[in-house]
Amino acid sequence: MKHFLSINDVTDLNQLISNGIAAKRNPFADIELGKNKTIGLLFFNSSLRTRISTQKAAQNLGLNVIMMNVGQDGWGLEMEDGVIMNGDKAEHVKEAAAVIGSYCDIIGIRSFAGLQDREKDYAEIVFQQFKKYADVPIINLESATRHPLQSLADCITIEEFKIKQRPKVVLTWLPHFKALPQAVANSFCEWMNPMDVELVITHPEGYDLAPEFVGKGQVIYDQDKALEGADFVYGKNWSSYQHYGQVLTSDPSWMITEAKMSLTDNGKFMHCLPLRRNMKVADEVLDGPRSLVIEQAANREWSAQAALREVLLHI
Ligand code: CP
């Protein structure tokens, strides 16, 4: 059984990127692969892109799709083992995962970090429990610590738009008033590490990501210095990892503007979306020729298709 939970489940990244680009050129080449098979997409949190792109990719591969907002459409699920279930959770994941696994050949799950307990979030309990009890491949539609389908779409987008063999890619923290998880930033770093890119990460002090995700990335706390000569600027807000889940600052000088982008080498701007305009990124950047956010979001369909194809080949 092959899961798709992180880059550790990818055997050949270049091939996977090529498969995504191939799917974009010929979306229905593998329509027989998923015939008479079913994927269940379980959302513990909101989504626009992941929900629609994964459904579309699954349909391109001939899969039947069942979608569920867990906790809204179904019973609240208890994830901890051995607890007395006298609270608001009516069903245990042991039964729920086993039952859903009996209906579906693949299960995709979105479950964000709670941002209260770092150890618990980074243990990825929801995914571990489904892996243990569902007995079918599990796809990560964004977990507490990672968003691999987004990262694969980001790799595809960089591959398509790079004009240098080894582009400079800068991940920059963006200001936001609300605490957001580290998943997209973690995952982006994790996927950029094996890519042939110069990876620079910039954020205010106190926002360092977990070292296992930073890898070869060079951390520069001065955003202007970090942006110098960048070919791609990848914006994202995240809350503190060290002071777990806290918003330490929302300094507006970290917002990406045209003046900031002029420090780059005619760099392109990327963001996974959704984003709050003129809080994180100025209209002038998002509406201008540097922005790749729509192309990047469109590539979510092809990253999902490449990942699902890989999983289907191993069922
Ligand atoms: N980028 C992303 O995952 O978008 P959604 O939250 O809308 O799925």
Side-chain angles (χ1 to χ4, degrees):
M1 184 191 309
K2 194 167 171 61
H3 302 286
F4 185 80
L5 298 175
S6 77
I7 195 156
N8 299 325
D9 296 313
V10 176
T11 42
D12 186 339
L13 175 56
N14 288 330
Q15 187 59 56
L16 193 63
I17 293 169
S18 298
N19 292 347
I21 293 169
K24 186 174 190 168
R25 293 198 183 115
N26 190 0
F28 306 112
D30 294 308
I31 197 151
E32 292 298 314
L33 204 55
K35 196 175 170 190
N36 299 329
K37 291 194 169 58
T38 299
I39 184 169
L41 301 177
L42 308 181
F43 286 86
F44 290 82
N45 304 95
S46 304
S47 168
L48 186 155
R49 280 144 289 273
T50 304
R51 195 177 175 117
I52 296 175
S53 64
T54 310
Q55 176 166 7
K56 185 98 187 300
Q59 288 167 343
N60 292 347
L61 290 164
L63 281 158
N64 298 312
V65 182
I66 295 172
M67 204 150 340
M68 189 169 181
N69 297 315
V70 184
Q72 290 173 41
D73 301 342
W75 306 109
L77 296 186
E78 176 59 59
M79 294 294 163
E80 307 275 351
D81 288 331
V83 294
I84 299 170
M85 288 175 57
N86 58 359
D88 58 352
K89 310 279 173 56
E91 180 155 22
H92 200 279
V93 68
K94 277 191 188 184
E95 287 79 42
V99 169
I100 297 166
S102 76
Y103 303 145
C104 300
D105 302 279
I106 304 174
I107 299 175
I109 302 170
R110 163 165 284 201
S111 177
F112 291 172
L115 295 177
Q116 301 298 318
D117 181 336
R118 185 170 92 179
E119 207 177 313
K120 206 165 161 182
D121 284 346
Y122 275 66
E124 297 282 16
I125 184 171
V126 175
F127 284 80
Q128 292 311 320
Q129 294 290 60
F130 268 90
K131 232 174 113 175
K132 196 162 155 191
Y133 297 118
D135 205 28
V136 296
I138 306 296
I139 309 288
N140 184 343
L141 305 178
E142 189 172 344
S143 68
T145 64
R146 292 176 169 94
H147 195 357
L149 290 179
Q150 179 64 55
S151 307
L152 176 55
D154 301 337
C155 290
I156 291 171
T157 309
I158 289 173
E159 206 52 41
E160 286 179 325
F161 284 90
K162 73 178 186 187
I163 50 174
K164 288 179 195 156
Q165 181 56 37
R166 190 166 185 272
K168 178 175 175 180
V169 176
V170 179
L171 168 65
T172 180
W173 179 92
L174 303 175
H176 193 31
F177 56 87
K178 209 177 143 200
L180 297 183
Q182 297 99 33
V184 171
N186 283 345
S187 207
F188 183 71
C189 291
E190 195 169 49
W191 285 68
M192 282 301 115
N193 261 277
M195 293 279 282
D196 190 12
V197 302
E198 178 192 348
L199 175 64
V200 172
I201 305 163
T202 185
H203 50 71
E205 295 199 28
Y207 280 91
D208 296 76
L209 297 167
E212 64 267 30
F213 292 105
V214 173
K216 74 174 184 188
Q218 185 193 359
V219 178
I220 300 177
Y221 296 117
D222 180 334
Q223 190 192 41
D224 287 359
K225 193 167 183 306
L227 291 173
E228 278 171 19
D231 298 292
F232 294 92
V233 176
Y234 194 100
K236 185 72 186 87
N237 170 269
W238 62 90
S239 58
S240 176
Y241 173 73
Q242 292 96 323
H243 307 280
Y244 193 63
Q246 289 183 31
V247 176
L248 307 177
T249 177
S250 52
D251 181 355
S253 73
W254 280 79
M255 181 171 83
I256 291 295
T257 59
E258 198 47 45
K260 293 274 183 185
M261 290 302 293
S262 69
L263 299 168
T264 68
D265 186 7
N266 200 23
K268 297 288 189 188
F269 179 77
M270 298 175 70
H271 189 285
C272 66
L273 302 178
L275 71 74
R276 290 170 189 257
R277 282 172 171 254
N278 305 311
M279 168 96 210
K280 294 174 170 176
V281 186
D283 281 344
E284 62 198 17
V285 175
L286 287 169
D287 297 333
R290 295 174 179 282
S291 176
L292 292 182
V293 298
I294 304 302
E295 291 84 348
Q296 192 183 348
N299 279 336
R300 290 293 307 275
E301 181 175 349
W302 316 117
S303 71
Q305 191 158 332
L308 289 177
R309 178 181 180 275
E310 200 61 27
V311 169
L312 281 167
L313 287 171
H314 289 85
I315 283 180

